[in-house]
Amino acid sequence: MGSTSTKIKLRTSDQKVFEVEKAVAVQSQTIKYIYENGCPDSVIHVHSVSGDILSKILDYCKKHVNSAAGKEDISPEELYEWDANFVKVDQNTLFDLILAANCLKIESLLDLTCQTVANMIKGKRPEEIRTTFNIKNDYTIEAEEAVRRENKWAFDMLGGVGTMVIEELADDTMSKCVTNTKSRVCVIAANQIVMMRSISKLANKKSIDVYKQPQNPTTPRIKESVKQRNVGTGFIELFFHFKCKM
Amino acid sequence: MSSSSSSSSSSSSSSSSSEDANGNSGRRGVGDFGAPSLTRRRANNEIWPGPFVEDLVVQVAIDASRSFGRLAVAAALANVFQVCSTWQAVSRSDPLWHRLTTVIWGRTHCMHASWREEYVYRHQTAQNFRAGRSFYHTLHFDPASVDNPDGLTCRCLTLSDTHLACGFADGTVRLFDLSTRQLVGTFYPHHRDRLGRFSRAVSGIVITDPRIIFATLDGDIHVAIIDGEPLARTAHLGNVVNDGALVDFTGCGRWWVGLYAGVPGRALHVWDGNTEELAYVNTNLTDPEAVRGWYTLTELIETIGRVRVTGQESAVACTSLRYMVVDLRNPEFPLHDREWRRGLTVTSLDTNSEAFIMVDNRGLAIVRRVDTLEEVCRFNTRQGNVNVMGCMNLGYALMCAAGVVRVWEIEHGQHLYSLNQNVEEVNAMVADDRHVAAAGSDSWIHLWDFGAQ
């Protein structure tokens, strides 16, 4: 029953007061908890949310409550489209929505914004993601290197064909890797790629000596010798010995 | 670690940055009019809430898996972790890697020091499957220890994370440890009056640590303890006259499933694996094969039917004309029941946790999701009318025909390679996410180990 539905008052960080139906407000687990454990008539302060954002969020909650209760005749596909339009906002607002949904603990809105951000990230490299969300790269050079090395396994030979990267080249470097004949080896020194070689070309040779003439005078010159041995079906272990002149 | 700090938000009533679903033009507009706004320091990375970033990482993983396959997930995650140190901080969370390993690789049991290591291991093992990198071994047992020549014919194989179990035509089950590749156990069923030459042949084995459960063609189900006595306890006494011959037996921790042929209307038996009690008997799947069912007791004939379980507590059973999907919690009402006019190759049926594969008599293999029968991929094995022995794991399908084992990935049905080793007449083949095993009529078993080093 309940012909006059209970209303809850919410005060935002910028001192705006909203009065909403209880069913709508308790979509937020935080508000629900405060309401059930505090004095029902008092105003609930939502410090971390501004009036504009709360207004949008209450729109969202109302739409979902009404559609679930059958008060609004809206099909699941239409609701899905409404949600999609709801998050078509500028990046600042999206961010505010995420923070507010996290603070107010609104599960479905968190899922929606999470999916939205995931879609925006799809296929992007880290620099592009930073630009999209205006995130500052707070890595030091060493830290960034460390993270790249930590995640190197993710890029190794995707699908059997990939590039094995040998970095930090100094003179008289010995390097060993286990790879397959379909891969390539890429050698980077002084932030430049000095060599890219297909391993299948090395596969039939026990050891080779190569002295690479660089086009760019700042590119290090390297002399490499390679030994390889089979260590199982499809595995090749490669020993690289680099002599490098910067 | 980032926490959700309650920062005052800038309430710009009109934002001059254009709305773009991709948010690419996310710069704050110059004209922030309206109420006095405390401009947020947008580049403050600590604002991203930790749990949100964790959920985001899982979502990115799921999206990458759907778009590009499981092997591409790690690269997508690495891109996320390299954005800033706050986003990278969640990669320290082992519960996050637990979620990722469960969602992407379907593993619920961690065999390594941390879930992150487990994820990396599964990823690299799947890469090995993709690239065809494996170590090949043969598992041996002493043929002199076998009196009955039928004891050398391996009828079925089952893999667990730690063991490989082989069932032979004289009722013996041999257990090999996968890490040492040594024979660690031999199990025998209780002596019983034999109803035919092959009535004691092992139809199927289930490994549920510490028990090993195997069933023989006469319908007896025997339970042994892996490190225990060789003589197995009879958990269920079969009755060939009432039920027919037990042509295939399989199960997971919770359920045992047996496929019978010989007596109409009693094709599928489901037992509760914990109480060892019979839970359900019915279906007429093997009725057309009833007469042939009786012949299995005395002769080596073509496989009549096969049944396999999935990770979702359902079972797929097939004969050469028909297949059926049954929910083990509710077996009276099959989820699906289809006929296949072209005829199916029974020995090609296998399941992984969510899908099953079947090859028809013209060599066309189709992988379908178990719940919806939605087709995942199809490929041509080019082996029409030849006995194809098939098995599959989460991402790959292996088909053995004419001594050659060929491997396809099942995201798109692309043929990848053939295993280097030639195998003779194969009676049984099994694959899980790390090993592949095949057995012929001699006293050794082929084992390929694709595990990451």
Side-chain angles (χ1 to χ4, degrees):
Chain A
M1 265 245 317
S3 45
T4 47
S5 45
T6 338
K7 295 241 193 261
I8 298 183
K9 288 207 183 87
L10 304 168
R11 177 177 288 135
T12 66
S13 60
D14 47 355
Q15 308 306 317
K16 295 208 182 105
V17 176
F18 291 83
E19 195 172 350
V20 284
E21 284 180 21
K22 175 178 165 228
V24 171
V26 297
Q27 295 276 293
S28 151
Q29 295 297 308
T30 311
I31 293 179
K32 181 168 189 246
Y33 180 78
I34 296 176
Y35 179 76
E36 284 171 356
N37 290 298
C39 182
D41 287 332
S42 62
V43 177
I44 296 178
H45 295 265
V46 278
H47 292 294
S48 42
V49 185
S50 75
D52 288 348
I53 298 298
L54 186 64
S55 155
K56 281 188 80 75
I57 289 186
L58 291 173
D59 278 346
Y60 174 88
C61 293
K62 201 192 282 186
K63 191 78 177 178
H64 278 250
V65 163
N66 286 346
S67 98
K71 280 189 205 160
E72 223 176 283
D73 183 23
I74 176 169
S75 71
E77 292 83 24
E78 286 168 349
L79 186 63
Y80 182 78
E81 250 195 71
W82 189 91
D83 281 348
N85 283 323
F86 180 78
V87 284
K88 277 201 185 115
V89 291
D90 64 277
Q91 183 241 316
N92 286 351
T93 315
L94 180 63
F95 207 79
D96 290 333
L97 285 173
I98 292 172
L99 287 190
N102 183 59
C103 165
L104 294 173
K105 292 201 181 39
I106 305 172
E107 206 58 50
S108 58
L109 184 57
L110 277 172
D111 288 344
L112 175 64
T113 46
C114 186
Q115 180 73 71
T116 310
V117 174
N119 288 342
M120 288 158 81
I121 285 182
K122 214 182 261 190
K124 290 201 166 90
R125 296 173 50 83
E127 310 83 59
E128 294 165 335
I129 299 177
R130 285 184 209 126
T131 317
T132 306
F133 293 102
N134 206 358
I135 294 177
K136 180 165 168 274
N137 180 3
D138 60 352
Y139 281 124
T140 61
I141 305 279
E142 300 85 32
E144 195 159 10
E145 250 320 290
V147 174
R148 249 216 300 271
R149 242 175 302 146
E150 198 179 291
N151 289 302
K152 201 152 101 61
W153 60 273
F155 294 98
D156 282 348
M157 286 160 284
L158 201 67
V161 178
T163 310
M164 198 78 201
V165 175
I166 297 180
E167 300 178 79
E168 298 160 315
L169 196 64
D171 189 28
D172 210 16
T173 305
M174 301 267 274
S175 187
K176 187 175 86 167
C177 65
V178 178
T179 173
N180 71 359
T181 51
K182 293 206 183 92
S183 294
R184 288 182 297 176
V185 163
C186 170
V187 180
I188 297 179
N191 273 336
Q192 304 171 51
I193 296 181
V194 297
M195 183 190 85
M196 193 90 115
R197 188 73 55 79
S198 156
I199 287 181
S200 55
K201 290 205 168 75
L202 304 172
N204 290 326
K205 305 184 169 116
K206 282 258 168 64
S207 83
I208 61 172
D209 282 325
V210 169
Y211 202 63
K212 183 165 171 62
Q213 297 294 332
Q215 289 136 332
N216 185 336
T218 61
T219 309
R221 303 204 300 179
I222 53 165
K223 180 172 166 166
E224 101 213 44
S225 66
V226 179
K227 287 204 179 92
Q228 61 104 25
R229 72 185 178 107
N230 285 326
V231 287
T233 313
F235 272 119
I236 288 184
E237 195 175 53
L238 285 172
F239 293 90
F240 283 93
H241 185 192
F242 290 104
K243 289 219 174 285
C244 175
K245 275 203 178 116
M246 296 290 184
Chain B
M1 290 300 151
S2 56
S3 51
S4 59
S5 45
S6 53
S7 46
S8 32
S9 40
S10 56
S11 53
S12 39
S13 43
S14 69
S15 167
S16 49
S17 48
S18 56
E19 279 185 21
D20 177 11
N22 282 331
N24 273 329
S25 53
R27 303 256 178 265
R28 245 172 303 130
V30 169
D32 268 316
F33 32 117
S37 47
L38 296 162
T39 50
R40 173 197 307 278
R41 285 184 327 232
R42 185 57 55 184
N44 185 348
N45 301 337
E46 307 215 339
I47 291 177
W48 289 87
F52 181 82
V53 181
E54 281 197 26
D55 288 342
L56 180 64
V57 165
V58 175
Q59 192 60 50
V60 167
I62 294 173
D63 286 347
S65 164
R66 285 198 192 129
S67 310
F68 304 109
R70 291 182 171 88
L71 286 173
V73 171
L77 294 184
N79 278 337
V80 171
F81 295 142
Q82 286 175 47
V83 167
C84 67
S85 61
T86 318
W87 285 27
Q88 205 260 336
V90 298
S91 75
R92 303 258 173 276
S93 152
D94 216 46
L96 173 65
W97 288 103
H98 184 163
R99 272 172 85 184
L100 288 168
T101 312
T102 309
V103 163
I104 301 294
W105 302 111
R107 301 286 305 179
T108 47
H109 178 56
C110 185
M111 292 180 72
H112 291 81
S114 70
W115 279 101
R116 184 175 182 275
E117 278 179 42
E118 181 76 27
Y119 185 97
V120 175
Y121 182 81
R122 295 291 148 198
H123 172 90
Q124 290 175 332
T125 305
Q127 267 184 347
N128 286 345
F129 262 105
R130 179 88 207 207
R133 293 190 289 248
S134 66
F135 286 103
Y136 171 73
H137 307 279
T138 46
L139 304 177
H140 297 263
F141 62 94
D142 184 7
S145 65
V146 180
D147 329 305
N148 189 341
D150 287 339
L152 294 176
T153 310
C154 178
R155 300 243 321 175
C156 55
L157 293 168
T158 299
L159 275 169
S160 75
D161 282 339
T162 46
H163 292 91
L164 170 69
C166 320
F168 292 84
D170 65 348
T172 324
V173 170
R174 292 192 170 81
L175 194 68
F176 292 87
D177 181 313
L178 287 169
S179 44
T180 62
R181 292 183 289 278
Q182 297 301 316
L183 180 66
V184 293
T186 312
F187 303 98
Y188 309 93
H190 269 281
H191 180 72
R192 243 249 268 194
D193 287 334
R194 299 208 314 179
L195 295 134
R197 180 176 160 206
F198 292 111
S199 65
R200 307 302 278 154
V202 180
S203 296
I205 308 170
V206 178
I207 302 179
T208 311
D209 224 353
R211 292 180 303 168
I212 178 166
I213 303 116
F214 59 101
T216 47
L217 205 56
D218 54 11
D220 289 349
I221 300 181
H222 316 272
V223 178
I225 305 293
I226 285 181
D227 291 323
E229 294 296 312
L231 194 59
R233 160 177 68 89
T234 309
H236 172 86
L237 212 54
N239 190 328
V240 170
V241 174
N242 279 347
D243 297 325
L246 176 55
V247 293
D248 200 5
F249 178 77
T250 183
C252 54
R254 178 123 186 253
W255 305 101
W256 303 341
V257 185
L259 187 68
Y260 286 76
V263 176
R266 298 180 74 80
L268 209 66
H269 287 47
V270 179
W271 290 265
D272 182 318
N274 297 320
T275 64
E276 297 178 8
E277 278 174 19
L278 191 59
Y280 171 76
V281 175
N282 217 326
T283 80
N284 50 11
L285 180 65
T286 54
D287 287 0
E289 315 283 355
V291 175
R292 290 177 68 214
W294 294 107
Y295 283 130
T296 59
L297 293 166
T298 50
E299 294 166 29
L300 271 177
I301 60 170
E302 245 178 57
T303 315
I304 292 181
R306 213 181 231 208
V307 65
R308 292 283 182 267
V309 292
T310 69
Q312 299 161 346
E313 298 203 280
S314 53
V316 182
C318 79
T319 62
S320 56
L321 297 169
R322 187 169 152 207
Y323 66 90
M324 191 179 249
V325 179
V326 166
D327 181 345
L328 294 171
R329 292 161 294 196
N330 197 5
E332 298 92 59
F333 305 104
L335 295 173
H336 305 284
D337 190 346
R338 298 284 165 89
E339 297 198 356
W340 194 256
R341 270 175 289 114
R342 283 193 199 161
L344 300 163
T345 307
V346 174
T347 49
S348 66
L349 174 77
D350 199 9
T351 56
N352 62 22
S353 58
E354 56 195 20
F356 68 98
I357 187 170
M358 262 180 338
V359 179
D360 69 13
N361 282 342
R362 293 205 205 149
L364 178 67
I366 303 185
V367 178
R368 291 186 193 277
R369 290 187 58 89
V370 171
D371 44 9
T372 57
L373 287 196
E374 178 196 332
E375 193 177 299
V376 174
C377 73
R378 59 169 61 193
F379 53 87
N380 207 325
T381 62
R382 282 195 283 270
Q383 300 287 347
N385 285 327
V386 167
N387 200 21
V388 171
M389 179 75 61
C391 59
M392 78 182 209
N393 62 22
L394 198 60
Y396 304 91
L398 296 100
M399 294 285 156
C400 177
V404 177
V405 180
R406 300 169 71 203
V407 183
W408 284 261
E409 56 83 16
I410 55 174
E411 269 151 17
H412 305 286
Q414 188 194 347
H415 175 245
L416 295 175
Y417 52 86
S418 310
L419 292 179
N420 283 341
Q421 289 72 24
N422 223 318
V423 297
E424 299 298 320
E425 187 66 39
V426 162
N427 288 338
M429 198 159 112
V430 69
D432 68 4
D433 291 316
R434 178 177 166 186
H435 289 100
V436 176
S441 357
D442 25 29
S443 68
W444 38 284
I445 291 142
H446 307 266
L447 181 73
W448 291 268
D449 182 356
F450 289 84
Q453 298 308 304

